[in-house]
Amino acid sequence: MRISVIGTGYVGTVSAACFAELGHSVICVDIDSSKIDQINAGIPPIYEDGLSELLEKHAGKRLSATSDYDFAVTNSDVSFICVGTPSDSDGNIDLGIVKAASASLGDALKNKKDYHVVVVKSTVVPETTEKVVLPIIEEHSGKKVGDFGIAMNPEFLREGKAIYDFMNPDKIVVGSLDESSGGIVASLYSGLDCAVTRTNPRTAEMIKYVNNSFLATKISFSNEIGNICKKLGIDTYEVMSAVGNDFRIGPHFLNAGAGFGGSCFPKDVKALIGKAREIGYEPELLSSVIAVNEKQPSMMVALLKNKLGSLKGKKIAVLGLAFKNDTDDIRESRSVPVIKELLDNNAEISAYDPMANENMARIFKNIEYHDSAAGALHGAEACLIMTEWDEFKTLGKEFTVMKNRLVIDGRHMLASRDDIEYVGLCW
Ligand code: NAD
């Protein structure tokens, strides 16, 4: 089938490349011309394992990119909206980009004679597809739903494992108002070994939020337990390892530490809180999930101050800037509030991340960036481990170049040992 993908960020580029791999013809659309040029040249605009190989294989053949909505809509049967849905200043969902993309799609649909299905893949709060996207497309196209199809198909991929997750999903959810547009969207995934859950758009929207909110809740729960365990001198990892053996709980997302970040969990939990309040329900548990998460980074700095006293003029190494391992994405990374607080305390920061130095340098221009852990640790009076990169697990002799070998571990990467003063965040 012929697909257009609107927005070529993490979700859009990965979806486009994977749909091409599944045999579909794909046209990517973005307002950022540098991304268009990169995709047409077979170069991924973001880092994701396996993406470069897929773009190299399909760019210029089954995959192309343009900024021209008319061209993309005319030459495709289905359009996926994959643009960002950030938080506004109150934490509620900001649908501005989705509305702009819907208007452009509607304009492009005006002159199209053939049936076309618009699919919302961006994460949007329940009712958005029906009450926001659909009316905008109707208004701009001059058509009524039925003349075109509308569906909601949330994305569950994990950054860092995005290609694998797209090609090996544990669930595919398609919400539609009518049988035929949902059927068209479901058929796009027929090359994958996964059942498609068919539902209505608002249920599909809710499934995505519940998925992320539940995972975020597991993390904040584990952090709260970790904070209590630490005060009691109990190893929370030993506790959770046993608790996770209960099949009703499972072993995943029980790791205490510096908290969750990324482009999804924080904003999605906040967006669900905002939607609940809009309809007159105060979601106390979800609010606590965010509150616990926001405390964890500060606790890293508090532990550091307990050990070093004033941080003024002291060199602190921050290892890990990406919000998690295997990605260069720093959105809502827990290292951002930590670095801010260290700077507020007049510390000097030397940072290292295997992939995310460049992205973090756009936020913090005046800190030192190094191309190795040893470089960042050189002369440091303490080190904070913020991201669970594999290479941090084997750090050893690198610590010998520190001025003072104090390591505060926010990700349970190291075991306590004699050659460093080791402090775990919640253990
Ligand atoms: P992103 O910010 O990386 O990419 C969005 C892209 O849309 C950018 O390239 C931007 O230039 C483009 N864009 C902006 N306005 C546009 C317009 N009017 N027309 C065309 N393109 C436009 O976002 P992302 O991380 O890919 O997330 C997209 C959506 O998918 C969000 O709703 C997010 O919550 C959801 N999601 C993200 C992930 C993830 O891991 N990143 C996973 C699942 C779902």
Side-chain angles (χ1 to χ4, degrees):
M1 198 164 287
R2 300 176 311 160
I3 296 172
S4 49
V5 170
I6 315 302
T8 55
Y10 282 85
V11 168
T13 311
V14 167
S15 303
C18 291
F19 277 135
E21 181 70 3
L22 290 173
H24 304 295
S25 295
V26 186
I27 303 172
C28 298
V29 181
D30 207 290
I31 50 170
D32 181 341
S33 59
S34 65
K35 290 188 176 173
I36 302 295
D37 295 343
Q38 280 179 291
I39 291 172
N40 282 328
I43 302 165
I46 44 127
Y47 174 77
E48 196 55 59
D49 192 26
L51 184 56
S52 148
E53 289 81 352
L54 286 186
L55 284 191
E56 207 170 295
K57 183 172 169 192
H58 297 299
K61 296 169 198 128
R62 281 208 286 268
L63 181 79
S64 64
T66 177
S67 53
D68 184 344
Y69 270 86
D70 286 336
F71 176 82
V73 169
T74 308
N75 292 289
S76 63
D77 310 299
V78 182
S79 294
F80 282 86
I81 298 176
C82 300
V83 298
T85 47
S87 303
D88 69 14
S89 52
D90 297 324
N92 299 323
I93 190 168
D94 177 351
L95 288 171
I97 312 175
V98 168
K99 287 177 183 171
S102 305
S104 302
L105 270 176
D107 291 336
L109 271 174
K110 192 182 272 174
N111 298 320
K112 184 165 181 187
K113 296 205 168 50
D114 298 332
Y115 189 70
H116 195 93
V117 182
V118 175
V119 190
V120 179
K121 197 177 244 317
S122 297
T123 303
V124 292
V125 290
E127 301 184 317
T128 304
T129 302
E130 290 159 85
K131 293 190 177 170
V132 179
V133 175
L134 178 55
I136 292 175
I137 292 175
E138 286 187 329
E139 185 195 332
H140 282 257
S141 66
K143 298 181 181 191
K144 283 277 159 213
V145 66
D147 302 334
F148 64 92
I150 187 103
M152 204 283 146
N153 170 221
E155 183 50 61
F156 299 96
L157 58 77
R158 294 166 298 170
E159 279 182 30
K161 304 269 184 293
I163 301 280
Y164 177 86
D165 286 351
F166 192 99
M167 300 305 272
N168 302 275
D170 51 18
K171 59 183 165 304
I172 298 170
V173 176
V174 175
S176 64
L177 292 174
D178 66 300
E179 181 57 32
S180 90
S181 28
I184 290 169
V185 179
S187 73
L188 299 175
Y189 295 97
S190 60
L192 299 177
D193 182 18
C194 181
V196 177
T197 301
R198 297 279 302 275
T199 180
N200 59 39
R202 65 185 64 191
T203 306
E205 290 161 338
M206 192 63 172
I207 289 169
K208 173 66 191 174
Y209 279 96
V210 173
N211 210 91
N212 276 359
S213 298
F214 186 70
L215 293 174
T217 303
K218 273 184 110 173
I219 296 171
S220 277
F221 176 80
S222 304
N223 287 339
E224 184 144 285
I225 296 301
N227 295 340
I228 298 168
C229 280
K230 181 155 178 116
K231 283 192 182 294
L232 290 168
I234 295 168
D235 181 346
T236 189
Y237 274 76
E238 205 181 330
V239 172
M240 287 312 205
S241 155
V243 168
N245 286 334
D246 186 322
F247 76 95
R248 296 165 301 177
I249 295 171
H252 305 291
F253 282 75
L254 298 180
N255 298 334
F260 56 79
S263 65
C264 294
F265 284 8
K267 88 167 168 66
D268 290 349
V269 177
K270 287 177 194 166
L272 186 55
I273 291 170
K275 183 69 190 177
R277 287 186 180 145
E278 180 193 311
I279 53 171
Y281 180 82
E282 185 53 41
E284 289 173 22
L285 179 59
L286 294 177
S287 300
S288 300
V289 168
I290 294 294
V292 169
N293 195 54
E294 282 172 3
K295 258 197 235 155
Q296 298 302 105
S298 269
M299 286 174 47
M300 296 281 293
V301 181
L303 285 175
L304 185 65
K305 281 166 129 178
N306 273 347
K307 293 284 173 187
L308 293 186
S310 165
L311 301 180
K312 191 169 181 191
K314 291 185 179 153
K315 182 169 175 177
I316 309 298
V318 176
L319 298 188
L321 303 172
F323 84 90
K324 66 173 183 181
N325 55 322
D326 298 330
T327 179
D328 61 355
D329 195 345
I330 55 154
R331 291 178 285 184
E332 295 277 339
S333 168
R334 297 298 78 195
S335 55
V336 173
V338 162
I339 292 173
K340 266 194 193 131
E341 204 172 333
L342 291 175
L343 290 174
D344 287 346
N345 281 275
N346 299 310
E348 283 175 21
I349 296 167
S350 59
Y352 165 66
D353 189 281
M355 280 184 197
N357 282 357
E358 218 176 290
N359 283 339
M360 197 57 98
R362 293 195 192 109
I363 301 186
F364 297 110
K365 295 187 175 45
N366 299 324
I367 66 174
E368 278 176 30
Y369 293 92
H370 293 267
D371 55 13
S372 69
L377 290 167
H378 198 270
E381 301 206 29
C383 155
L384 303 182
I385 300 182
M386 296 305 306
T387 312
E388 58 273 45
W389 287 101
D390 269 351
E391 66 175 74
F392 296 160
K393 285 183 197 155
T394 53
L395 287 175
K397 65 178 181 342
E398 288 85 351
F399 294 120
T400 56
V401 299
M402 294 177 78
K403 188 170 166 193
N404 173 42
R405 294 185 201 165
L406 167 64
V407 178
I408 299 182
D409 187 353
R411 297 295 175 190
H412 202 253
M413 300 300 286
L414 302 175
S416 181
R417 51 203 233 192
D418 294 338
D419 59 338
I420 55 172
E421 185 182 0
Y422 178 79
V423 182
L425 177 57
C426 311
W427 53 96

